[in-house]
Amino acid sequence: QVQLVESGGGLVQAGGSLRLSCTASGRTFSRYFVGWFRQAPGKEREFVTAISWFVSRTYYVDSVKGRFTISRDNAKNTVYLQMNNLKPEDTAVYYCAAGVNIETLDRGYEYDYWGQGTQVTVST
């Protein structure tokens, strides 16, 4: 019974930064895994990063390590994705997802709730 809303996408030049937000309504993120996925036009959905809400442990795909940071704000029931040094290959629709019983973090079908997505476009 959770609805997720993403915001913060937009158009940015290569090397620039954006911060995405994922806010939950209906229920807090306690005990959840929260992840970010992205999907570029004509390509399959790709895992980006995830955080375990209960212990604040984080996980990143190799292509974004050192550039992206996932974090949480308990009071606002919000997860953030800070994206620095953006590259054209980061261009995609970014989706926030949440789930409780996650065996493998990069398997999208294991997540229970999904946001509508927010577009990130990085120009050369």
mmCIF file of all heavy atoms in Angstrom, residues 31-33 98-104 109-112:
data_model
loop_
_atom_site.group_PDB
_atom_site.id
_atom_site.type_symbol
_atom_site.label_atom_id
_atom_site.label_comp_id
_atom_site.label_asym_id
_atom_site.label_seq_id
_atom_site.Cartn_x
_atom_site.Cartn_y
_atom_site.Cartn_z
ATOM 1 N N ARG A 31 12.081 -1.023 7.404
ATOM 2 C CA ARG A 31 12.216 -2.434 7.063
ATOM 3 C C ARG A 31 12.285 -2.700 5.558
ATOM 4 O O ARG A 31 12.316 -3.855 5.143
ATOM 5 C CB ARG A 31 11.107 -3.276 7.686
ATOM 6 C CG ARG A 31 11.044 -3.209 9.197
ATOM 7 C CD ARG A 31 9.926 -4.074 9.713
ATOM 8 N NE ARG A 31 10.107 -5.475 9.352
ATOM 9 C CZ ARG A 31 9.170 -6.406 9.475
ATOM 10 N NH1 ARG A 31 7.979 -6.097 9.955
ATOM 11 N NH2 ARG A 31 9.434 -7.657 9.123
ATOM 12 N N TYR A 32 12.316 -1.684 4.729
ATOM 13 C CA TYR A 32 12.351 -1.843 3.274
ATOM 14 C C TYR A 32 13.762 -1.729 2.717
ATOM 15 O O TYR A 32 14.625 -1.064 3.280
ATOM 16 C CB TYR A 32 11.494 -0.776 2.593
ATOM 17 C CG TYR A 32 10.018 -1.059 2.573
ATOM 18 C CD1 TYR A 32 9.230 -0.846 3.690
ATOM 19 C CD2 TYR A 32 9.407 -1.528 1.413
ATOM 20 C CE1 TYR A 32 7.875 -1.106 3.670
ATOM 21 C CE2 TYR A 32 8.056 -1.777 1.378
ATOM 22 C CZ TYR A 32 7.289 -1.567 2.507
ATOM 23 O OH TYR A 32 5.936 -1.813 2.465
ATOM 24 N N PHE A 33 13.981 -2.399 1.586
ATOM 25 C CA PHE A 33 15.047 -2.055 0.678
ATOM 26 C C PHE A 33 14.488 -1.034 -0.312
ATOM 27 O O PHE A 33 13.367 -1.196 -0.807
ATOM 28 C CB PHE A 33 15.549 -3.272 -0.093
ATOM 29 C CG PHE A 33 16.298 -4.261 0.744
ATOM 30 C CD1 PHE A 33 15.641 -5.304 1.362
ATOM 31 C CD2 PHE A 33 17.670 -4.156 0.889
ATOM 32 C CE1 PHE A 33 16.329 -6.229 2.120
ATOM 33 C CE2 PHE A 33 18.376 -5.084 1.651
ATOM 34 C CZ PHE A 33 17.703 -6.112 2.267
ATOM 35 N N ALA A 98 10.752 -0.141 -4.155
ATOM 36 C CA ALA A 98 10.851 -0.551 -2.758
ATOM 37 C C ALA A 98 10.327 -1.965 -2.591
ATOM 38 O O ALA A 98 9.391 -2.383 -3.276
ATOM 39 C CB ALA A 98 10.085 0.405 -1.855
ATOM 40 N N GLY A 99 10.930 -2.692 -1.668
ATOM 41 C CA GLY A 99 10.499 -4.045 -1.369
ATOM 42 C C GLY A 99 11.022 -4.500 -0.028
ATOM 43 O O GLY A 99 11.958 -3.907 0.521
ATOM 44 N N VAL A 100 10.430 -5.550 0.508
ATOM 45 C CA VAL A 100 10.808 -6.073 1.818
ATOM 46 C C VAL A 100 11.684 -7.305 1.685
ATOM 47 O O VAL A 100 12.780 -7.365 2.247
ATOM 48 C CB VAL A 100 9.569 -6.394 2.665
ATOM 49 C CG1 VAL A 100 9.992 -7.007 3.996
ATOM 50 C CG2 VAL A 100 8.735 -5.143 2.891
ATOM 51 N N ASN A 101 11.223 -8.295 0.962
ATOM 52 C CA ASN A 101 11.946 -9.558 0.825
ATOM 53 C C ASN A 101 12.715 -9.565 -0.487
ATOM 54 O O ASN A 101 12.235 -10.070 -1.502
ATOM 55 C CB ASN A 101 10.979 -10.728 0.903
ATOM 56 C CG ASN A 101 10.295 -10.833 2.244
ATOM 57 O OD1 ASN A 101 10.929 -10.707 3.284
ATOM 58 N ND2 ASN A 101 8.987 -11.060 2.234
ATOM 59 N N ILE A 102 13.918 -9.021 -0.459
ATOM 60 C CA ILE A 102 14.762 -8.907 -1.634
ATOM 61 C C ILE A 102 15.930 -9.873 -1.489
ATOM 62 O O ILE A 102 16.745 -9.730 -0.575
ATOM 63 C CB ILE A 102 15.272 -7.473 -1.833
ATOM 64 C CG1 ILE A 102 14.101 -6.488 -1.901
ATOM 65 C CG2 ILE A 102 16.129 -7.392 -3.090
ATOM 66 C CD1 ILE A 102 13.178 -6.712 -3.077
ATOM 67 N N GLU A 103 16.035 -10.836 -2.397
ATOM 68 C CA GLU A 103 17.130 -11.795 -2.384
ATOM 69 C C GLU A 103 18.343 -11.263 -3.136
ATOM 70 O O GLU A 103 19.481 -11.403 -2.678
ATOM 71 C CB GLU A 103 16.688 -13.120 -3.002
ATOM 72 C CG GLU A 103 15.639 -13.868 -2.192
ATOM 73 C CD GLU A 103 16.221 -14.462 -0.929
ATOM 74 O OE1 GLU A 103 17.451 -14.713 -0.887
ATOM 75 O OE2 GLU A 103 15.464 -14.676 0.024
ATOM 76 N N THR A 104 18.110 -10.664 -4.298
ATOM 77 C CA THR A 104 19.171 -10.110 -5.126
ATOM 78 C C THR A 104 18.767 -8.704 -5.537
ATOM 79 O O THR A 104 17.753 -8.517 -6.204
ATOM 80 C CB THR A 104 19.416 -10.981 -6.364
ATOM 81 O OG1 THR A 104 19.670 -12.324 -5.956
ATOM 82 C CG2 THR A 104 20.619 -10.471 -7.146
ATOM 83 N N TYR A 109 12.158 -7.505 -10.535
ATOM 84 C CA TYR A 109 10.886 -8.173 -10.263
ATOM 85 C C TYR A 109 10.714 -8.539 -8.799
ATOM 86 O O TYR A 109 9.608 -8.891 -8.384
ATOM 87 C CB TYR A 109 10.728 -9.414 -11.149
ATOM 88 C CG TYR A 109 11.782 -10.481 -10.960
ATOM 89 C CD1 TYR A 109 11.691 -11.411 -9.935
ATOM 90 C CD2 TYR A 109 12.864 -10.572 -11.833
ATOM 91 C CE1 TYR A 109 12.647 -12.392 -9.770
ATOM 92 C CE2 TYR A 109 13.825 -11.551 -11.676
ATOM 93 C CZ TYR A 109 13.714 -12.464 -10.640
ATOM 94 O OH TYR A 109 14.671 -13.439 -10.481
ATOM 95 N N GLU A 110 11.757 -8.458 -7.998
ATOM 96 C CA GLU A 110 11.637 -8.755 -6.580
ATOM 97 C C GLU A 110 11.118 -7.555 -5.771
ATOM 98 O O GLU A 110 10.764 -7.717 -4.602
ATOM 99 C CB GLU A 110 12.979 -9.210 -6.009
ATOM 100 C CG GLU A 110 13.455 -10.543 -6.568
ATOM 101 C CD GLU A 110 14.631 -11.120 -5.807
ATOM 102 O OE1 GLU A 110 14.912 -10.652 -4.680
ATOM 103 O OE2 GLU A 110 15.272 -12.047 -6.326
ATOM 104 N N TYR A 111 11.064 -6.381 -6.375
ATOM 105 C CA TYR A 111 10.557 -5.198 -5.695
ATOM 106 C C TYR A 111 9.033 -5.121 -5.811
ATOM 107 O O TYR A 111 8.463 -5.471 -6.849
ATOM 108 C CB TYR A 111 11.200 -3.933 -6.256
ATOM 109 C CG TYR A 111 12.660 -3.794 -5.906
ATOM 110 C CD1 TYR A 111 13.632 -4.521 -6.580
ATOM 111 C CD2 TYR A 111 13.076 -2.932 -4.902
ATOM 112 C CE1 TYR A 111 14.979 -4.408 -6.250
ATOM 113 C CE2 TYR A 111 14.412 -2.802 -4.569
ATOM 114 C CZ TYR A 111 15.361 -3.544 -5.249
ATOM 115 O OH TYR A 111 16.689 -3.417 -4.925
ATOM 116 N N ASP A 112 8.388 -4.638 -4.763
ATOM 117 C CA ASP A 112 6.932 -4.640 -4.687
ATOM 118 C C ASP A 112 6.285 -3.365 -5.219
ATOM 119 O O ASP A 112 5.155 -3.401 -5.717
ATOM 120 C CB ASP A 112 6.496 -4.847 -3.231
ATOM 121 C CG ASP A 112 7.007 -6.150 -2.645
ATOM 122 O OD1 ASP A 112 6.772 -7.208 -3.261
ATOM 123 O OD2 ASP A 112 7.636 -6.106 -1.564
#
